[in-house]
């Protein structure tokens, strides 16, 4: 593997060079062929022992210069000081058809930034990260990718004893908002500038010629973050731990922990059991994204040197979020034009979904089946699959009258709208119970469900009649599932 190591060319203060800690008898769990193709690796080879050795950290390829990066961050709104890659080790980057991608082993052993941690990740959380990274990519949400998942019978102590695993993550860069905060809070302007120049040179080269490239960096990262969060809201994804050390400088979803996909819609839903105050609830993701951009702006201010301009850049968040979310919701409703009154139609829909705890994914998928060409007296029957999701049927009927009127007004046709809506409203998302089923099988030595689920989630918009069961509402046992930060 012809690794390059551009992050390692930064001064040593930015990282610690170290070797991964080997795991006993690592085994192959799963690989993503789509991710493999991004870095020119043959997916069929990934299950071979040589690759399992590399991607469990037991063998470091000759051209790799492994390192763990330092960063800091705000956790749950409070300054947390120095954090850093406590269990992630960067191998370097591989060139692919879309440019270089860094490969990082998560769970590869202790680093100088491990603090109280053991440097490991458990199979349970690693399966979740592996599957969700690839599921999000297939949904069209900006995200880090997951190439490979290996396991070992080495015991790892969490609430119970679990087994170790390593996820190989890929992204053009793993630099976080917290990477900048780190230098700002230490008063190290030179390092701050070096990091900003590196990020601009390698990932935002078009900004190099700007009058104030640091201001443009803030402007662009703010916009990308806003758009990423608009995607999250539109697909019902909740990150769970939007600390500034988990916010990517590229505006991609980073660090999958106690995430969740919205099922029974509740705008205040909290997916992370540890987040008792609901700081990172579904509704709060939007303002928290903005708050995080403020934290980044604060760190970049010594370089930007223009407070008013930085504030104006941050104001761009609201517009970028609004525009993107509006665009996505129009598509979700199969509307090809934007009209006055659309906002009221959307608000009424979300309010009704919230009050009726309607399953987020099923609602939008079934909405695509709604027909205009039905006679009045057949309408309730025709609408039944969608209508039956609501306890408040008259409420739904009233909204559907408005929606149909809006569709007619733009001359919408049932067949083409259905097709367009099914391309943006997924049928298959990573519901907690689906992940849990794959996890429990894997914990008993059967890894087939991980790959099966991956294959389904790679085609979230396709009907896949043979996999109909994977689109079903969660079973009763799943209502007791709790997802915490423990990973
Ligand atoms: P997270 O909430 O997973 O984003 O992690 C926050 C910080 O804790 C990061 O610096 C992680 O590297 C670190 N961390 C989390 N779990 C472990 C672990 N088991 N061993 C070492 N460091 C960890
Ligand atoms: Mg993290």
């Amino acid at each position: 593997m012809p690794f390059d190591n551009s992050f390692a060319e930064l001064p040593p203060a930015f990282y610690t060079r170290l070797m991964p800690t080997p795991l006993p008898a690592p085994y192959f769990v799963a690989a993503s062929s789509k991710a493999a193709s991004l870095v020119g690796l043959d997916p069929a080879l990934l299950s071979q022992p040589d690759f399992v050795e590399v991607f469990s950290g037991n063998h470091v390829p000759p051209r790799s210069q492994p390192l763990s990066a330092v960063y800091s961050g705000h956790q749950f709104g409070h300054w947390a000081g120095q954090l850093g890659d406590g269990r992630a080790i960067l191998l370097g980057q591989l060139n692919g058809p879309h440019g270089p991608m860094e490969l990082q082993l998560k769970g590869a052993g202790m680093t100088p930034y491990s603090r109280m941690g053991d440097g490991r990740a458990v199979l349970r959380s690693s399966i979740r990260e592996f599957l969700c990274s690839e599921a999000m990519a297939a949904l069209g949400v900006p995200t880090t990718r997951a190439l490979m998942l290996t396991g070992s019978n080495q015991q790892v102590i969490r609430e119970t004893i679990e087994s170790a695993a390593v996820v190989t993550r890929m992204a053009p860069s793993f630099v976080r908002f917290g990477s900048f905060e780190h230098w700002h809070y230490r008063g190290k302007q030179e390092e701050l500038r070096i990091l900003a120049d590196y990020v601009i040179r390698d990932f935002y080269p078009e900004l190099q010629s700007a009058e104030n490239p640091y201001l443009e960096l803030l402007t662009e990262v703010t916009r990308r973050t806003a758009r990423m969060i608009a995607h999250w809201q539109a697909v019902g994804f909740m990150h769970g731990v939007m600390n500034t050390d988990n916010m990517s400088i590229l505006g991609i979803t980073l660090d999958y922990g106690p995430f969740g996909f919205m099922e029974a819609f509740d705008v205040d839903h909290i997916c992370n059991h540890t987040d008792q105050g609901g700081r990172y609830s579904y509704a709060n993701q939007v303002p928290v994204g903005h708050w995080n951009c403020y934290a980044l702006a604060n760190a970049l201010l010594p370089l930007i040197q223009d407070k008013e301009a930085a504030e104006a850049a941050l104001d761009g968040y609201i517009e970028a979020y609004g525009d993107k979310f509006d665009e996505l919701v129009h598509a979700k409703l199969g509307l090809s034009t934007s009209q006055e009154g659309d906002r009221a139609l959307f608000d009424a829909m979300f309010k009704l979904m919230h009050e009726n705890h309607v399953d987020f994914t099923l609602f939008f998928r079934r909405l695509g089946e709604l027909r205009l060409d039905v006679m009045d007296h057949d309408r309730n029957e025709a609408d039944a699959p969608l209508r039956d999701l609501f306890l408040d049927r008259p409420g739904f009927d009233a909204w559907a009258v408005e929606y149909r009127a809006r569709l007619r007004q733009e001359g919408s046709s049932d067949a083409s709208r259905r097709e367009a809506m099914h391309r943006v409203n997924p049928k298959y998302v990573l519901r907690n119970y689906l992940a849990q089923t794959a996890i429990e099988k894997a914990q008993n030595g059967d890894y087939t469900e991980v790959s099966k689920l991956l294959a389904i989630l790679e085609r979230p918009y396709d009907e896949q009649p043979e996999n109909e069961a994977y689109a079903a509402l969660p079973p009763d046992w799943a209502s007791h599932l709790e997802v915490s930060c423990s990973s």
Side-chain angles (χ1 to χ4, degrees), residues 83-94:
L83 304 164
D85 292 329
R87 51 177 169 171
I89 296 182
L90 183 68
L91 291 179
Q93 80 239 60
L94 292 177

Side-chain angles (χ1 to χ4, degrees), residues 71 75 83-88 106 113-121 158 176 241 243 245-246 255 485 487:
Y71 53 81
Q75 297 187 320
L83 304 164
D85 292 329
R87 51 177 169 171
K106 181 168 176 180
Y113 318 111
S114 297
R115 298 178 295 151
M116 309 298 283
D118 57 7
R120 292 301 181 191
R158 297 292 180 262
R176 299 134 195 272
V241 203
N243 295 335
D245 52 302
N246 291 338
D255 273 8
C485 275
S487 60

